[in-house]
């Protein structure tokens, strides 16, 4: 019985092996902890540096009075590049070989390129927008069925703010290859109205009334001269075409104000606005 107990007790060799195994785990834990701590410090310090550099770049661009469109694009690009460098530094500190990491990225380049083909197109579209400048920050544009003011041009998207304060992200690829209407590019804009009056109305009186209203609005330019003409003889009305030129900033104010003034003046002079009409003739037996 005593011999069995003695045989069951670990020998000195087994204790030595166990101690070595525990020591290895301890050393590995200390090393891994130091790597994790160093990676965390690198990440925290890196984020602080990235924030500082982003602000520095923004101040430099603002001091040099760089176009706001270019400023937003450059700031977005610098932020992404610095973040990628920070991620690589953190991965390297964790013990992952950056050469192996680069080789892995290279081997997956085709797949990543196919997956990010849309983003690459948007990036190229952003460069085209900055190069040819079909619009800039602050312009009112219409594209992809959306209308709004350009708030920011990023490396992948252009951000619009609509008139009812919605924020819309439109891919740069679609903007660079599609149709873009820029309402802010030209200094002057033409305001158009088509007003329908009843068939028994004196057209000359209508034209004089409209021209008098246009002449009293100082925002309407004399050159090019206002245009008033009989447009069409429609089914239920005689349509009058009115076209004037104004400064871009006055477009909507003139449009809505003149609508109100025409309505009030026509009612005061007895000029009727017709309703849709249909004449039916009944055949006799």
């Amino acid at each position: 019985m005593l011999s069995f107990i003695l045989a069951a007790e670990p020998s000195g060799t087994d204790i030595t092996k166990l101690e070595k195994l525990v020591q290895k785990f301890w050393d590995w834990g200390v090393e891994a902890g130091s790597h994790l701590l160093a990676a965390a410090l690198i990440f925290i310090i890196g984020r602080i540096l990235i924030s500082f550099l982003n602000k520095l770049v923004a101040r430099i661009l603002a001091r040099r009075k760089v176009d706001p469109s270019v400023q937003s694009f450059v700031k977005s690009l610098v932020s992404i590049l610095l973040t990628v460098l920070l991620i690589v530094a953190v991965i390297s500190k964790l013990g992952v070989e950056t050469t192996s990491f680069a080789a892995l990225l290279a081997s997956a380049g085709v797949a990543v390129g196919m997956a990010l083909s849309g983003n690459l197109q948007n990036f190229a579209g952003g460069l085209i927008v900055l190069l040819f400048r079909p619009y800039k920050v602050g312009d009112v544009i219409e594209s992809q069925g959306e209308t709004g003011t350009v708030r920011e041009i990023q490396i992948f998207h252009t951000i619009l703010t609509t008139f009812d304060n919605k924020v819309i992200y439109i891919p740069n690829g679609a903007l660079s290859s599609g149709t873009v209407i820029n309402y802010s590019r030209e200094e002057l804009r033409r305001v158009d109205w088509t007003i329908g009056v009843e068939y028994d109305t004196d057209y000359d009186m209508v034209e004089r009334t409209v021209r008098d209203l246009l002449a009293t609005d100082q925002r309407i330019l004399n050159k090019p001269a206002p245009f008033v003409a009989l447009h069409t003889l429609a089914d239920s009305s005689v349509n009058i075409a009115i076209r004037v030129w104004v400064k871009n900033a006055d477009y909507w104010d003139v449009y809505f104000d003149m609508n109100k003034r025409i309505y009030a003046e026509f009612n005061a002079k007895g000029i009727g606005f017709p309703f849709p009409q249909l004449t039916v003739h009944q055949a006799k037996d």
Side-chain angles (χ1 to χ4, degrees):
M1 186 66 177
L2 181 59
S3 61
F4 174 77
I5 294 175
L6 293 174
E9 292 180 354
S11 63
T13 304
D14 294 334
I15 293 176
T16 303
K17 290 181 179 180
L18 182 61
E19 290 177 348
K20 290 182 178 179
L21 183 61
V22 171
Q23 185 65 35
K24 287 182 179 180
F25 275 112
W26 175 261
D27 294 340
W28 177 84
V30 172
E31 184 178 1
S34 63
H35 285 310
L36 288 173
L37 181 60
L41 289 175
I42 290 175
F43 180 79
I44 294 173
I45 296 174
R47 292 301 301 173
I48 296 173
L49 288 176
I50 288 175
S51 177
F52 171 76
L53 291 175
N54 285 334
K55 293 178 180 179
L56 179 62
V57 170
R59 285 198 299 268
I60 293 175
L61 294 175
R63 190 180 302 116
R64 294 180 177 273
K65 297 181 180 181
V66 178
D67 186 88
S69 307
V70 179
Q71 288 188 34
S72 60
F73 187 89
V74 171
K75 287 188 290 187
S76 179
L77 180 61
V78 169
S79 178
I80 290 178
L81 290 178
L82 291 176
T83 302
V84 170
L85 292 176
L86 176 61
I87 292 174
V88 172
V90 171
I91 291 176
S92 175
K93 193 59 182 178
L94 289 175
V96 179
E97 292 292 337
T98 54
T99 54
S100 302
F101 184 70
L104 179 62
L105 289 179
S107 63
V110 176
V112 172
M114 294 179 63
L116 299 179
S117 59
N119 286 331
L120 293 177
Q121 180 183 3
N122 293 333
F123 177 76
L127 294 178
I128 292 174
V129 168
L130 291 178
L131 180 62
F132 293 100
R133 299 173 61 82
Y135 57 85
K136 63 182 185 299
V137 172
D139 285 354
V140 177
I141 67 170
E142 178 182 349
S143 183
Q144 308 299 309
E146 304 292 346
T147 303
T149 304
V150 179
R151 189 171 79 178
E152 190 174 349
I153 302 175
Q154 297 184 344
I155 62 173
F156 296 128
H157 296 86
T158 292
I159 303 176
L160 301 184
T161 302
T162 63
F163 298 120
D164 55 351
N165 207 31
K166 292 185 294 187
V167 178
I168 300 177
Y169 292 77
I170 301 181
N172 288 332
L175 290 170
S176 64
S177 60
T179 301
V180 177
I181 302 175
N182 191 331
Y183 293 105
S184 303
R185 176 59 62 89
E186 300 296 331
E187 183 181 357
L188 304 180
R189 283 188 67 183
R190 194 181 76 184
V191 189
D192 295 1
W193 296 271
T194 301
I195 307 297
V197 298
E198 295 175 341
Y199 261 93
D200 58 355
T201 304
D202 183 357
Y203 168 75
D204 292 333
M205 181 185 67
V206 174
E207 182 175 347
R208 285 196 303 270
T209 301
V210 171
R211 289 191 179 276
D212 290 342
L213 289 174
L214 299 179
T216 58
D217 195 323
Q218 300 298 322
R219 296 168 297 183
I220 296 176
L221 304 178
N222 294 323
K223 293 183 180 180
F227 174 85
V228 181
L230 196 156
H231 185 261
T232 53
L233 301 176
D235 294 336
S236 303
S237 63
V238 177
N239 293 336
I240 311 300
I242 307 170
R243 299 170 184 171
V244 301
W245 288 88
V246 299
K247 292 182 178 180
N248 204 315
D250 295 331
Y251 179 88
W252 288 112
D253 290 338
V254 171
Y255 179 82
F256 291 120
D257 288 349
M258 194 55 61
N259 275 342
K260 181 179 179 180
R261 296 182 63 192
I262 288 175
Y263 178 75
E265 190 68 18
F266 278 23
N267 283 331
K269 291 191 174 183
I271 302 173
F273 297 97
F275 297 97
Q277 302 176 24
L278 178 64
T279 303
V280 179
H281 299 276
Q282 182 177 2
K284 296 183 179 180
D285 293 338

